[in-house]
Amino acid sequence: MNRDPFEEYMKESEPGKRDKGYAWHTAIGLQAVDGLKTSNYLVQTAVRNIEGEITFEQANALLQSYYEQNPVSDLNDRTEEADKVAARIARLLSEKAFSFTPNEYLSIHRKLFTGIYSHAGCIRDYNITKKEWVLNGTTVLYGSATELQATLDYDFSQEKMFSYKNLTMNEMIHHLALFVSRLWQIHVFGEGNTRTTAVFFIKYLRTLGFEVTNDIFAKNAWYFRNALVRANYNDLKNGIHETTEYLELFLHNLRSVYKELHADRETGC
C-alpha cells in the first residue's frame, strides 16, 4: 500500500502546514464521489504548496500549464478535471470566508468548475435522472428544474431559522443529516453537485463549531455520496424507506473534533 503523502503533514505542530495538509487530503479524497482519481503531478504540486514553496494561485497556474503541455486525448480520462477541482477545493477549504446563502452555494460551484463545465455556477434548466450503484441502477427523484431556485431558497431560509440551542449531539447530527441530504437532493446543477455540497457543508460545519480536520470526508467520500442517495430514496412497495441513518453514522465521526457551541449561537450567524 502506498504511503499517504499527507499523513505527516496532518500531524504537524505548525498550524499552516497541518491545515493545508488536511485541505489537500480532503480535496483529493472528494474526487472519489464521482469515481475520479488525481495524478502524481497534483500530489507533488500539493506538497510544494504545503511546504510554502508556491501559493494556491501558483499551484492552479502550474496545473493549467501542465495540461496545456500534456493534453488528455482520451475523452473518458477525467484526471485533468480531478486535479483542477481538487486544487480549487483545497484553496476554498483553506479560506475562512463563508456566508450561509444560496449565492455562496452557487459561487462554490462556479469556483470549482469554471473552465470544466459550461454551466459552472448556473442552475440547471432541465430535469435529470442518474443511475445509482447503491440502488441497483435506480435513480433518486431530483428537484424539478422549474422549482430549483425556490426550493433552494426555502431550504436555506428554514435552516437559517433553525436553532441548535439546547439540542443533544444526536439531535444536532440528525438535523444536520436532514439538511445536507435535502440540499443535495435538489441537485441544483447538471454536474458537480456532490463535491459542491461537500465543500459547502464542511465550511458550514465550521461555523457551527465543528473543526472538520479529520479523515471522514477524505477517506469516506464514496460512502458519503451513497448515504446521501439512501437518504432520498423510497420504494414503498418493496418496504424501502428513505433514511438518514447512514449519514448520521458518517457525521458521528465528527464528535471527537466537536467544539461546544456558544449557548446563544444559532445557524447562519
Side-chain angles (χ1 to χ4, degrees):
M1 179 181 293
N2 294 330
R3 184 177 181 181
D4 187 335
F6 304 107
E7 183 177 352
E8 292 304 314
Y9 290 115
M10 293 187 293
K11 296 177 182 177
E12 267 278 356
S13 58
E14 185 180 326
K17 288 185 178 181
R18 184 177 64 246
D19 292 346
K20 284 184 180 179
Y22 277 116
W24 280 104
H25 188 49
T26 300
I28 290 172
L30 280 175
Q31 304 314 304
V33 300
D34 283 325
L36 306 185
K37 292 184 179 181
T38 54
S39 70
N40 289 331
Y41 181 75
L42 177 75
V43 173
Q44 296 166 9
T45 304
V47 169
R48 291 182 65 191
N49 172 256
I50 296 169
E51 289 288 350
E53 295 178 22
I54 58 174
T55 64
F56 281 110
E57 291 83 356
Q58 290 170 324
N60 279 287
L62 285 171
L63 284 169
Q64 183 65 31
S65 176
Y66 175 81
Y67 280 105
E68 287 175 357
Q69 297 174 32
N70 302 277
V72 177
S73 57
D74 184 353
L75 295 177
N76 294 316
D77 186 344
R78 297 172 66 188
T79 307
E80 179 178 356
E81 175 187 338
D83 281 1
K84 290 182 176 180
V85 174
R88 295 170 186 181
I89 288 176
R91 179 177 181 175
L92 283 175
L93 293 182
S94 296
E95 296 174 351
K96 303 300 182 184
F98 176 76
S99 61
F100 186 80
T101 63
N103 282 342
E104 178 84 3
Y105 189 61
L106 298 177
S107 175
I108 288 174
H109 189 271
R110 183 175 62 256
K111 290 174 181 178
L112 295 186
F113 298 107
T114 292
I116 296 171
Y117 298 149
S118 60
H119 61 271
C122 299
I123 294 176
R124 61 180 167 86
D125 57 2
Y126 54 92
N127 290 329
I128 59 172
T129 59
K130 293 187 177 182
K131 294 181 179 180
E132 299 292 349
W133 171 84
V134 74
L135 302 179
N136 293 321
T138 305
T139 185
V140 167
L141 294 179
Y142 297 111
S144 172
T146 59
E147 303 297 327
L148 294 178
Q149 184 68 66
T151 306
L152 188 66
D153 291 343
Y154 176 80
D155 279 9
F156 269 83
S157 67
Q158 291 299 298
E159 177 65 11
K160 201 161 189 176
M161 289 188 295
F162 185 82
S163 174
Y164 288 85
K165 186 176 181 180
N166 298 325
L167 295 187
T168 66
M169 174 61 74
N170 286 340
E171 289 169 336
M172 291 181 194
I173 286 177
H174 176 67
H175 180 81
L176 286 166
L178 285 174
F179 167 69
V180 73
S181 67
R182 288 167 179 164
L183 178 62
W184 177 84
Q185 185 271 336
I186 301 171
H187 248 57
V188 172
F189 314 105
E191 296 289 346
N193 289 278
T194 306
R195 283 173 284 179
T196 301
T197 301
V199 172
F200 181 89
F201 191 47
I202 290 169
K203 292 176 78 71
Y204 178 45
L205 287 171
R206 288 174 177 170
T207 72
L208 299 177
F210 290 91
E211 291 299 318
V212 191
T213 52
N214 60 12
D215 291 337
I216 63 167
F217 283 95
K219 292 186 175 180
N220 302 287
W222 183 242
Y223 178 95
F224 176 63
R225 190 187 194 286
N226 288 333
L228 289 168
V229 171
R230 259 318 264 114
N232 289 285
Y233 180 70
N234 286 298
D235 184 359
L236 301 186
K237 70 179 183 298
N238 290 313
I240 299 173
H241 301 264
E242 61 184 33
T243 176
T244 60
E245 64 175 300
Y246 304 108
L247 269 178
E248 290 177 46
L249 286 171
F250 177 84
L251 293 175
H252 269 292
N253 287 307
L254 292 170
R255 294 184 69 145
S256 62
V257 290
Y258 176 72
K259 289 184 176 180
E260 185 175 354
L261 297 176
H262 297 299
D264 59 349
R265 171 179 275 181
E266 295 187 355
T267 64
C269 300

